[in-house]
Amino acid sequence: MSQLPVTTSIDADGVGWITFDDPGSRANAFNPPMLAALREAIAGLEGAAGLKAVVLVSAKEKIFIAGADLRWIAALPDAAAAAQLSREGQELFGRLAALKVPVVAAIHGACAGGGFELALAGAWRVASDAKETTVGLPEVGVGLIPGWGGCVRLPRLVGAAAAAGHILKAALVPAADALKAGLVDELAPAAELRLRAKAAALRLAAAGLPVRAVPPAAPAEFFATQRRTASGRFRGQPAAAALDVIERGGGLPEAEALRLETERFAGLATGEAARNLIRVFFLKEAGRKATLDAWFAEPAPAAAEPFRIVGVIGAGVMGSGIAQWCASRGLGVILCDTDREAIERGITAIRGLFKQAEERGQLTHDQAHRMMGGIGVSTSLEDFDVCDLVIEAIVENVAEKQKLMANLAKIVGPDCVVASNTSALPLEELAAPLPHPGRVVGLHFFNPVNRMPLVELVLGPHTSRATAERALAFVKSLGKTPVVCRSSPGFFVTRVLFFYLNEACRLWEQGVPTEAIDAAMREWGWPMGPMRLIDEVGIDVTDFIFGEMQHYFPDRFVSTSICRRMLTAGMKGRKNGNGIGFYSYADDPEKPNPAMTQFVPVARAALEAGTIVERLNGVLVGETRRVLAEGVLKTPDDADLALLLGAGFPAVRGGLMRPAAGGQ
Ligand code: NAI
């Protein structure tokens, strides 16, 4: 007989153990078989003689319960089925809560969504202090609300305002923070978790359930403010639904509050936003597991030799960001720049990034100090013979990069992989001077490196599978998501993004006001409009890349001239928070720069927001289709993922090549 995902046993002290261990997976996630098995388990304990207490525990190494399987939710046919799913879980957890004995959750590993709602149904929660233990309700992030009692039980445990904070933030918090926030009651070393949970269970069985102070209700103004803040965001819908259940449910008996939760959950679960966000969740998951099988005819080598010492050339914005990120992952780094002052600026920037990581609690002071110590600096390439990966991030200039490659070829060892961080130059041009072009690959990081999750892994015509495999493993080991593309000017993201920005400039030149263009795209979901994005990238950089695009796509890329004219007038966009571009940062950064009227060739033209969106998204879709037809990317999913992670495409739209953006 195959093993059940939930099993029970009662030990000699009268403690019933409910163990979650999905036999078909490394994780535990609620799905119909697991829910059915839990129902059986609870039924078995309901009538058990001599039962004093119950402990919930997972047999997995890193997961308590990761929540409900999103595949299950994505397949729900309609709102009635979603309501049924919510009721089933609520009823089951309710039976657990109503057992005549105390229920204690022993949490080790991720305890998310439905997993945490299960734990909330118990009387006490003990969490292991291991780093893999995280707790929270992330449903709002995928367009849902907790629908198995989380919106009702959490406010009754920690108060309405705190519960709203957790549910709207939709994040998993480490065990120590969960203890501080009252999400769990006790921490224990992982090795002692079961013992401590059992001790707590027996203590509660002997002394009675804990009497908890009634947490404070939140005033109506709190909810009004939260609703206002949420309404402008694309998490607005689920956030408003969660606030509703927390506020109205707070004044209702539990059963009625749960009915309200079901109603609001069902209203969201099969809606467009949730469907799209769940799709994005799976896209990201697939991206993290990307392989190179579709790119090479020959099989993968047995194991990709990992990189230990990374040489980074160019200590500017990108080079210093890459060096810091590699060091933060425990790699040895040599950072080289011909300009001593650039190295000093780079090191200052790296120090700042480590400090930031410390302040955010991502690293301890000692860790940051040690990692900083792992970065050596140099003004020459001499020391690079020890590197097994070199990433060049010098100025975007073919001749300079070729010269550098030729020098590198004389220094690095025969197994060293040579990577370029160029954002647009075809790899084959850069690799031309190298005697072994098979070891050249593109690693296109995005700015800022510590925050942008995407790396385009660019394969040149000669890149060997062994090189590509090592690079792929490297990107994954950095915690970044790779999207593999074939070398071609601008690869994918730079190419389509600058076609899009050029079209935005064309609209502007045709008289559509800056604020109308930006507001239309923001309203559609982009984090910022294209004119603002040009200011952020820099008018100079934008103009330069427009030039490159025109050079490489002479028959299709007709560069607009506004950026060139702005540059001539001394406008470079937002540089270090100051500066002047489509907006004026010294005055009011929210207001379009009044001096731009000097360039307007025609009277300002009104254009409906929908038309602006259609035109600009249309350019993105059209160019992406070409990229796919040319084989620069393999699948529309790759395109969707790259724009989501590399260009801030709004997740709530599901992806560029989906109907919402005109992609299908
Ligand atoms: P940057 O101008 O901030 O830094 C370039 C650095 O390279 C300078 O410090 C310069 O002194 C140094 N350098 C120039 N020639 C050198 C040589 N032969 N040997 C050693 N050092 C040399 O440039 P940034 O923005 O960091 O860009 C670097 C590369 O990354 C470019 O290829 C760019 O296209 C690409 N990139 C830039 C992004 C951005 O947002 N800035 C995003 C993604 C890629």
Side-chain angles (χ1 to χ4, degrees), residues 43-93:
L45 293 175
E46 273 167 343
L51 184 73
K52 289 194 189 137
V54 169
V55 177
L56 307 168
V57 71
S58 158
K60 301 295 184 199
E61 228 174 274
K62 291 187 178 166
I63 306 260
F64 176 68
I65 299 174
D69 186 341
L70 286 175
R71 260 168 279 266
W72 181 25
I73 309 237
L76 289 171
D78 51 31
Q84 173 65 18
L85 173 96
S86 163
R87 273 193 301 268
E88 260 180 55
Q90 287 178 352
E91 182 258 340
L92 199 54
F93 294 179

Side-chain angles (χ1 to χ4, degrees), residues 312-320 322 336-343 345 378-379 381 392-397 400-401 403-404 407 420-425 443-449 494 537 541 544-545 548:
V312 179
I313 313 175
V317 178
M318 294 308 290
S320 54
I322 294 168
C336 163
D337 200 296
T338 40
D339 177 354
R340 205 168 276 283
E341 279 178 23
I343 292 184
R345 281 195 302 273
S378 170
T379 50
L381 298 177
E392 75 76 18
I394 68 165
V395 280
E396 188 78 341
N397 177 302
E400 287 290 328
K401 288 192 194 272
K403 205 159 74 193
L404 176 69
N407 284 340
S420 172
N421 183 53
T422 172
S423 42
L425 302 171
L443 287 174
H444 181 206
F445 289 83
F446 289 72
N447 186 15
V449 177
T494 305
V537 170
V541 175
F544 175 75
I545 300 181
E548 284 192 325

Side-chain angles (χ1 to χ4, degrees), residues 459-537:
L459 307 178
H462 307 293
T463 307
S464 73
R465 177 146 198 179
T467 299
E469 291 288 351
R470 290 182 83 188
L472 181 70
F474 169 69
V475 172
K476 289 180 182 172
S477 76
L478 292 182
K480 301 288 182 194
T481 304
V483 168
V484 186
C485 34
R486 180 172 69 68
S487 174
S488 161
F491 318 124
F492 172 60
V493 175
T494 305
R495 171 167 163 186
V496 298
L497 199 61
F498 280 83
F499 268 82
Y500 160 86
L501 294 179
N502 192 37
E503 189 65 10
C505 287
R506 199 176 331 279
L507 277 179
W508 194 93
E509 289 180 348
Q510 287 167 356
V512 186
T514 303
E515 62 274 33
I517 300 173
D518 279 358
M521 299 314 284
R522 268 205 327 273
E523 196 58 32
W524 196 79
W526 285 93
M528 69 172 73
M531 313 326 286
R532 174 82 68 187
L533 181 58
I534 293 175
D535 273 1
E536 293 287 336
V537 170

Side-chain angles (χ1 to χ4, degrees), residues 17 90 232 278 297 309 322 372 374 386 408 412 423 461 486 519 593 635:
W17 294 83
Q90 287 178 352
I278 291 173
I309 302 184
I322 294 168
M372 188 76 211
V386 295
L408 266 177
V412 297
S423 42
R486 180 172 69 68
N593 174 8
T635 68

